[in-house]
Amino acid sequence: MDLNAPDRTLKIGGHPLPVVGPARMYVCGITPYDATHLGHARTFVWADVAARVLRHAGGDVRVCRNVTDVDDVLNQAAHRAGSPYDSFAAVQQFYFEGDLDALGVHAVDHQPRAHNHVREVVALAQGLVASGHAYVRDGAVYFRGADVPRRAGLGAGQAHDLLAEYGDAPDDPGKGDPFDVAVWRPSRSGEPAWPSPWSAGRPGWHAECAAMAMTTFGPALDLHAGGTDLRFPHHAYEAAMAEALTGVRPFSRAWLHVGMVRRDGVKMAKSTGNLVLVSDLIRHHPAPAVRFMLITEPWTQEWDYTAEVLDRAAADLDRLHLAAGRSNSSSAAEAAVTRALLDDLDVRTALDMAEQEGGRTARLVMSILALG
C-alpha cells in the first residue's frame, strides 16, 4: 500500500465523500408505466457515471435502483391497458432496462420492487407510530412532517404547493398538519391492497423508498441519486422517515440531484406532451452519442434538448475517438483527468483534457465514462 498516494476522494456538491468499505448508493428508479424519455435517462446515466468514477478511484460500489410499481399513475395506466398492475409494470420495466443497457448504464446490484416490500413498509409504519413520529387515523398512518419543509430549506407556501403537486394532499382535513404525509393509506375499490393492522391498503410513495433503501443498505447511505424534481417532497420525507425510525443522521451523506431536461424551455414530462424517447433517438443515432450528450453539461444544471445539441454531441464524440487513436501518453494527464472527475464529476473538463491530450488519456476517459 502506497501511503503517499494522491487523495482519490470523490467530491459531490463540493463536499468530500470518503468511503471505507463498500459505498452504498441508492438511485430513485422509475415508475414503470411508460417509455423512457431523456429526462429519465439523464438521471440514470449520471448516476452510472458517479458509480463508475467511484470504482475508478478504487472504491467498491454497491448500487440499488428501485422500481416504484405501487403507484396511482401506474394503476391508471394498467387499467387503461386492461392489464394487472404488476404484469404491466414488468413489461414497461423490460423496455426501460433495454434503453439503459443501450446507453451503457451498468447493471445494478439490487433492484427492489415496491410490491415486494410492503411488509417492510408496514414495519416502518409500526415503528414510527410506536415512537410517536406517526399516528393512525381512519385506517391510514400519517408521518408527522411539520418540520420537514424547514429542514429542506423551504417556506410554508412553496412546500404546500409542492406537496399538492405531488399528490400529498396538504389540504386533507383528516390530517393533523398540512405537512403530514401518508406512510400507509387504505386502498380504494379496484386498487391493489395488502393487509395491515390499520386497513387493507398500500404504502405511501415516500415510505416505499425509505423501506427499500433501508432493507438493502441498513440505516444510512453514502450517496443518493435522483432528479432535482424529487428533492422535495420525495427525498425530504424519505430521509425524514428513515432518520425518525433509526435515529441515524444524515440518512444520506451526499445527494446527486440531477438537473432536468427541458424542451422549448419546459420540463420534459408526459403531462406536457414534449417527450423525446430514448428508443426513438437510438434508432437513428449511435447510443454513445446520446450518452455523451446527456453528460456534457454539469449534472447540477438543467438544459434544453434540440436536434442540434445531439448532432454537436455526435461530432464531439467523433473527435474524441480520433484523439484516442493517437499514440502519445502522459501519466500526468491521466492523473489530471482523474482529479477532474473526482471534483464534483467535472466531466466537461475531463473530456476537454482528453481530446487535447489524446492517446491513452483519451482512451482512459472514454473507458471510465463508457463512451465506446
Side-chain angles (χ1 to χ4, degrees):
M1 178 180 180
D2 183 3
L3 297 180
N4 296 312
D7 183 19
R8 291 169 71 88
T9 298
L10 175 64
K11 298 181 181 68
I12 293 291
H15 302 290
L17 187 64
V19 176
V20 176
R24 303 154 299 175
M25 183 175 177
Y26 185 84
V27 183
C28 264
I30 60 161
T31 301
Y33 73 98
D34 206 349
T36 312
H37 62 73
L38 280 183
H40 297 143
R42 188 173 194 238
T43 292
F44 301 124
V45 168
W46 267 112
D48 181 66
V49 167
R52 288 175 181 274
V53 170
L54 276 166
R55 292 189 182 102
H56 171 65
D60 177 11
V61 187
R62 311 285 171 82
V63 182
C64 173
R65 186 181 65 227
N66 76 290
V67 178
T68 304
D69 61 359
V70 180
D71 188 89
D72 285 342
V73 69
L74 170 60
N75 293 337
Q76 294 159 8
H79 179 74
R80 288 193 298 268
S83 173
Y85 82 95
D86 48 355
S87 300
F88 183 83
V91 171
Q92 297 302 315
Q93 185 184 341
F94 171 81
Y95 291 125
F96 163 74
E97 290 175 354
D99 289 340
L100 291 196
D101 182 64
L103 291 175
V105 174
H106 197 281
V108 296
D109 302 285
H110 308 279
Q111 192 161 234
R113 294 161 179 82
H115 83 270
N116 290 327
H117 290 269
V118 173
R119 182 170 58 182
E120 286 79 10
V121 174
V122 170
L124 169 63
Q126 289 174 316
L128 292 172
V129 170
S131 64
H133 290 98
Y135 57 93
V136 180
R137 189 165 294 175
D138 298 327
V141 178
Y142 291 106
F143 176 71
R144 299 185 189 276
D147 194 44
V148 175
R150 182 193 62 79
R151 290 177 55 192
L154 298 180
Q158 185 180 6
H160 181 284
D161 291 346
L162 286 169
L163 284 167
E165 179 182 346
Y166 286 94
D168 282 304
D171 296 322
D172 182 354
K175 299 195 299 186
D177 186 280
F179 300 126
D180 296 347
V181 299
V183 184
W184 183 265
R185 56 183 176 175
S187 293
R188 297 181 292 262
S189 175
E191 291 182 338
W194 290 264
S196 81
W198 316 285
S199 64
R202 62 190 187 86
W205 176 31
H206 318 309
E208 289 173 344
C209 268
M212 286 186 282
M214 287 190 290
T215 299
T216 304
F217 289 131
L221 310 170
D222 294 297
L223 181 59
H224 195 313
T228 53
D229 57 338
L230 299 181
R231 189 191 304 269
F232 188 93
H234 184 51
H235 288 164
Y237 279 92
E238 174 196 353
M241 288 179 190
E243 291 170 3
L245 182 78
T246 67
V248 176
R249 295 187 179 189
F251 174 56
S252 183
R253 298 170 60 211
W255 295 83
L256 188 80
H257 283 124
V258 179
M260 297 291 97
V261 179
R262 300 183 303 252
R263 194 175 187 186
D264 300 323
V266 178
K267 172 189 167 183
M268 193 171 289
K270 185 175 182 181
S271 60
T272 60
N274 65 348
L275 298 184
V276 176
L277 302 184
V278 170
S279 56
D280 289 340
L281 288 184
I282 61 180
R283 271 198 293 269
H284 305 290
H285 302 273
V290 178
R291 181 181 173 99
F292 188 98
M293 174 186 68
L294 291 171
I295 62 175
T296 49
E297 294 297 328
W299 61 269
T300 55
Q301 293 184 10
E302 297 186 357
W303 58 275
D304 276 82
Y305 167 79
T306 65
E308 291 75 21
V309 170
L310 179 53
D311 289 342
R312 187 163 60 247
D316 290 345
L317 182 58
D318 284 345
R319 285 198 299 274
L320 184 61
H321 276 274
L322 289 172
R326 300 203 295 264
S327 60
N328 59 304
S329 64
S330 164
S331 297
E334 291 171 32
V337 298
T338 294
R339 286 195 299 272
L341 292 172
L342 290 171
D343 186 11
D344 219 8
L345 304 177
D346 188 355
V347 166
R348 183 68 268 171
T349 295
L351 288 170
D352 289 344
M353 288 192 292
E355 184 180 342
Q356 181 178 359
E357 182 69 18
R360 196 170 68 191
T361 302
R363 293 193 293 274
L364 173 66
V365 171
M366 291 173 64
S367 174
I368 296 170
L369 300 179
L371 293 173

